[in-house]
Amino acid sequence: MNVSDLNRFADGERITPERLRETGLIPGRTDRVKLLGDGDLSKRLTIVVHQMSASAKAKVAKAGGTVEL
């Protein structure tokens, strides 16, 4: 999934794979989540994923958020 997909969440929210399934951003059968850097992120979020690209990490940090692997 791309960082731009996360703009739908509220500022300061913690985003887990379970939360992504609840909102339909990832299918229920997905075991691992990789965050990619396409688009921009305008929210300060805490994001829990299994992998991420370097560009995604930079965009989350720029928005004031954090990523937990």
Side-chain angles (χ1 to χ4, degrees):
M1 69 173 309
N2 292 304
V3 292
S4 60
D5 297 329
L6 301 175
N7 284 313
R8 68 175 61 194
F9 296 103
D11 197 45
E13 194 169 346
R14 180 180 167 89
I15 310 302
T16 62
E18 293 78 21
R19 182 80 171 104
L20 295 171
R21 279 187 200 92
E22 289 171 5
T23 58
L25 283 174
I26 60 172
R29 66 187 182 282
T30 302
D31 292 334
R32 300 186 59 79
V33 178
K34 183 173 182 178
L35 185 62
L36 303 173
D38 192 34
D40 291 313
L41 181 64
S42 61
K43 307 284 178 80
R44 181 185 45 85
L45 303 170
T46 300
I47 305 163
V48 181
V49 292
H50 299 97
Q51 292 178 290
M52 73 172 141
S53 68
S55 61
K57 182 176 182 178
K59 289 181 180 186
V60 171
K62 183 179 177 184
T66 57
V67 177
E68 298 175 11
L69 297 176

